[in-house]
């Protein structure tokens, strides 16, 4: 009986992971924990929910590790350009539904600070800040560090997956569920409408970041592992 060979995406990941990579990851995690502790000590902020201080680093670490472990396969220039356009469109969809990109429409202007231009919010916890906001007459960009890194990673992984296989649609769809500010409120409304009452909606809203983080990690795992890919 011959032993089955690991799938190509999984084999590629194992080839790129080494003991040095694991040691580096451990060092990064320790540095991030020190950063969080330093923030709490310097600002006297109360950690009412420690998990919300740690979630941004889950996004960032998973995103960076997945991008490092994933190498797009060789392909012709025209195919690469076409897939790049699709991945770019996917990133725009994530940005729009995730609250990163907001378009001004119907003559209603939107501004975080009352005037057009660039604003940087530095008082937020690490990973949540520094948040960069750019207001324009036609659009508004809100770049939260962990979310920005996570969405870029998802777009890159979709790009690599589409070059390798056509089975990335499901993984990409799960990635869309990682939008913090859109997907879970929609699901909450649907659940509340089906089951009745506001308890379900309140629960989903309360755990929106938790659910979004789980969905993001699941999306990354599916895009890197790609079950069924050979």
């Amino acid at each position: 009986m011959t032993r089955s060979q690991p799938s190509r995406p999984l084999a590629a990941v194992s080839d790129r992971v080494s003991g040095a990579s694991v040691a580096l990851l451990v060092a990064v995690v320790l540095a991030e924990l020190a950063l969080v502790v330093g923030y709490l000590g310097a600002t006297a902020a109360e950690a009412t929910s420690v998990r919300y201080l740690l979630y941004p680093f889950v996004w960032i670490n998973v995103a960076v590790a997945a991008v490092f472990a994933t190498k797009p396969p060789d392909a012709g220039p025209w195919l690469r350009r076409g897939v790049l356009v699709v991945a770019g469109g996917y990133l725009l969809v994530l940005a729009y539904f995730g609250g990163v990109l907001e378009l001004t429409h119907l003559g209603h202007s939107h501004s975080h600070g009352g005037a057009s231009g660039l604003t940087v919010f530095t008082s937020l916890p690490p990973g949540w800040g520094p948040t960069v906001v750019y207001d324009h007459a036609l659009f508004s960009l809100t770049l939260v560090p962990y979310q920005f890194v996570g969405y870029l990673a998802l777009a890159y992984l979709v790009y690599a997956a589409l070059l390798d296989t056509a089975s990335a649609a499901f993984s990409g769809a799960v990635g869309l569920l990682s939008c913090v500010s859109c997907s879970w409120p929609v699901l909450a409304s649907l659940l509340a409408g089906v089951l009745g009452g506001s308890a379900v909606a309140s629960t989903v809203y309360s755990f929106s970041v938790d659910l979004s983080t789980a969905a993001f990690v699941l999306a990354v795992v599916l895009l890197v592992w790609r079950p069924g890919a050979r």
Side-chain angles (χ1 to χ4, degrees):
M1 181 181 296
T2 60
R3 183 179 298 177
S4 60
Q5 298 296 321
S7 64
R8 182 169 53 180
L10 205 57
V13 170
S14 63
D15 290 341
R16 294 172 67 85
V17 175
S18 64
S21 301
V22 174
L24 178 61
L25 178 61
V26 171
V28 169
V29 170
L30 292 176
E32 290 168 344
L33 289 175
L35 184 62
V36 171
V37 172
Y39 168 80
L40 293 176
T43 62
E46 295 183 2
T48 56
S49 183
V50 175
R51 70 185 191 276
Y52 290 143
L53 294 176
L54 299 180
Y55 280 160
F57 298 109
V58 173
W59 280 63
I60 293 172
N61 293 343
V62 169
V64 172
V67 168
F68 175 79
T70 303
K71 181 180 179 181
D74 294 330
W78 286 105
L79 178 58
R80 284 183 175 274
R81 290 167 188 166
V83 171
L84 185 61
V85 170
V86 174
Y90 176 78
L91 179 60
L92 287 177
V93 171
L94 282 176
Y96 180 76
F97 286 103
V100 175
L101 173 66
E102 183 174 343
L103 301 178
T104 302
H105 58 284
L106 301 179
H108 297 291
S109 62
H110 173 83
S111 176
H112 294 82
S116 298
L118 189 66
T119 306
V120 180
F121 297 91
T122 59
S123 60
L124 298 172
W128 293 93
T131 293
V132 178
V133 176
Y134 178 74
D135 285 310
H136 188 271
L138 299 178
F139 63 89
S140 176
L141 286 176
T142 303
L143 303 180
V144 181
Y146 83 89
Q147 190 181 42
F148 179 65
V149 172
Y151 289 175
L152 282 179
L154 283 175
Y156 173 82
L157 294 175
V158 166
Y159 169 77
L162 289 176
L163 283 178
D164 190 57
T165 178
S167 65
F170 174 70
S171 303
V174 174
L176 284 173
L177 294 180
S178 64
C179 296
V180 173
S181 62
C182 132
S183 299
W184 299 118
V186 172
L187 292 178
S189 300
L190 291 176
L191 287 173
V194 171
L195 301 179
S198 60
V200 173
S202 176
T203 300
V204 175
Y205 277 113
S206 299
F207 292 96
S208 62
V209 180
D210 307 80
L211 296 172
S212 297
T213 300
F216 173 75
V217 173
L218 175 61
V220 169
V221 169
L222 289 175
L223 285 167
V224 172
W225 177 33
R226 275 172 263 155
R230 296 291 184 265

